[in-house]
Amino acid sequence: MASFNPVKIFSGSQSTYLAEKIAHYYGKDLGGYTCRRFSDGEMSPSFEESVRGCDVFLIQSTPPPGDNLMELLLMVDAARRASAHYVTVVIPYFGYARQDRKDKPRVAIAAKLVANMLQAAGVDRLMTIDLHAGQIQGFFDFPVDHLEGTSVFVPYIKSLALENLIIASPDVGGAGRARTFAKHFNAEIVLCDKHRKRANEIASMQVIGDVEGMNVVLVDDLIDTGGTLCKAAQILLDKGAKSVRAVCTHPIMSGKAHENIANSVLEELVIADTLPLSQANPKIRVLSVAELFAKAIGRIRDHESISSLFIRY
């Protein structure tokens, strides 16, 4: 049974570029919203139209700095205080997801803290894509719709008609992600085993598996500085790979990422538009997930299954 509550879609300051495309595919204009700032940077968001009794979708990725997350929390609170019927946050890139466990003493579990803050603000539902670790969904006590980037990446890779295709993970932790991706092509996987000195700095890396004469596709959920990805690509090519390209959902692209990609042996880097690129790069191909999110919003509105949007093996 379809919902009779009006649907309204709003975008935070960080994700307007993507929210406009989502709203277009959904068939509605973005709702009126402004975020004023005091001289010290304090934010004061407000909706410029009524949301009373509406099913509200708030679109905002939450990469650092914390302003993006804080603005989203304030948007949720404003919607709640304006008597919105149901508040869904659409977070294309869920920031702080890399801190999903205690990997050493005396550290925070930031992903859980963000989940707690979203719940405290009054969120009813979360929609996101390709979390760093799927188990992060368990941090939430409300429904989470976890979309899959394979819905846009797999058709593109298939369109290349690559022979002798093999899927690779740039680290052992991504083995499950690579295996899932490989099933769409009935392909084998190889792993790059890395050891880090510290964050964003790799001490050593080795390849587990044979890539001689193969067209390799590296698969990861995000690319930050690109150091791991570029080093993995070089090692795979040194091991006899015919070509190496990469698929990463979230383009954080910090530091010298663009320079690293441009100077790497990668044929291309295929990314989603969950985050905006700071500059053009001839080696980067962007595939949009806007239509995927729009369809998911429609299914939530109509109380239909989200899993019908996933590509099956």
Side-chain angles (χ1 to χ4, degrees):
M1 181 178 177
S3 170
F4 291 100
N5 298 305
V7 170
K8 293 197 175 184
I9 303 173
F10 298 91
S11 173
S13 304
Q14 202 281 335
S15 297
T16 304
Y17 70 100
L18 177 58
E20 287 175 344
K21 291 187 283 185
I22 293 174
H24 169 73
Y25 281 114
Y26 182 79
K28 287 181 72 77
D29 293 330
L30 284 177
Y33 165 80
T34 56
C35 184
R36 298 178 179 84
R37 286 181 179 267
F38 294 93
S39 61
D40 65 350
E42 180 181 332
M43 292 173 288
S44 177
S46 64
F47 299 108
E48 302 303 312
E49 58 191 75
S50 175
V51 296
R52 185 180 297 273
C54 296
D55 289 345
V56 173
F57 291 82
L58 307 177
I59 303 173
Q60 174 91 313
S61 285
T62 56
D67 280 9
N68 298 312
L69 175 60
M70 189 65 191
E71 181 184 3
L72 180 60
L73 293 170
L74 291 170
M75 291 174 74
V76 173
D77 188 67
R80 275 278 165 240
R81 294 179 188 279
S83 301
H85 172 257
Y86 198 82
V87 178
T88 300
V89 290
V90 180
I91 307 179
Y93 170 64
F94 187 89
Y96 295 93
R98 284 176 284 185
Q99 300 178 60
D100 60 351
R101 66 194 186 282
K102 287 189 68 174
D103 57 352
K104 60 182 180 181
R106 298 176 296 281
V107 296
I109 304 179
K112 173 58 177 169
L113 177 60
V114 172
N116 289 347
M117 289 191 290
L118 290 171
Q119 179 132 4
V123 171
D124 291 303
R125 190 180 201 99
L126 164 67
M127 185 189 300
T128 188
I129 186 169
D130 286 353
L131 287 167
H132 186 64
Q135 63 265 26
I136 290 174
Q137 296 172 75
F139 291 168
F140 298 90
D141 293 326
F142 50 76
V144 176
D145 297 307
H146 187 209
L147 306 182
E148 297 177 354
T150 52
S151 300
V152 295
F153 294 131
V154 168
Y156 173 73
I157 296 298
K158 285 186 174 180
S159 74
L160 301 178
L162 298 171
E163 297 180 351
N164 300 320
L165 176 66
I166 194 166
I167 308 301
S169 171
D171 56 55
V172 174
R177 185 181 301 108
R179 188 173 294 109
T180 299
F181 199 87
K183 286 179 180 179
H184 293 284
F185 304 91
N186 294 317
E188 298 296 322
I189 70 167
V190 296
L191 305 176
C192 299
D193 184 23
K194 69 182 178 185
H195 168 65
R196 289 190 187 275
K197 283 183 178 179
R198 57 185 66 88
N200 299 121
E201 186 176 335
I202 303 165
S204 63
M205 180 179 287
Q206 61 184 4
V207 177
I208 303 172
D210 183 18
V211 295
E212 183 73 34
M214 305 296 284
N215 288 302
V216 182
V217 175
L218 280 158
V219 177
D220 210 350
D221 64 305
L222 58 84
I223 174 170
D224 193 348
T225 64
T228 297
L229 206 66
C230 294
K231 185 164 186 174
Q234 183 64 62
I235 290 175
L236 289 166
L237 208 63
D238 293 344
K239 293 289 184 179
K242 184 178 180 181
S243 71
V244 184
R245 50 180 34 85
V247 170
C248 300
T249 306
H250 308 295
I252 298 173
M253 303 297 286
S254 67
K256 295 182 178 180
H258 280 281
E259 180 182 336
N260 292 338
I261 295 300
N263 297 330
S264 73
V265 299
L266 285 168
E267 295 282 329
E268 65 177 344
L269 168 64
V270 186
I271 60 171
D273 54 352
T274 55
L275 294 169
L277 290 177
S278 60
Q279 66 186 72
N281 191 316
K283 280 196 174 184
I284 296 179
R285 178 180 292 272
V286 182
L287 303 181
S288 182
V289 291
E291 187 173 7
L292 178 64
F293 275 106
K295 288 179 178 178
I297 289 173
R299 280 164 169 72
I300 290 174
R301 173 202 63 201
D302 296 334
H303 308 297
E304 295 178 351
S305 172
I306 297 292
S307 62
S308 59
L309 297 174
F310 302 158
I311 296 178
R312 296 306 174 193
Y313 312 128

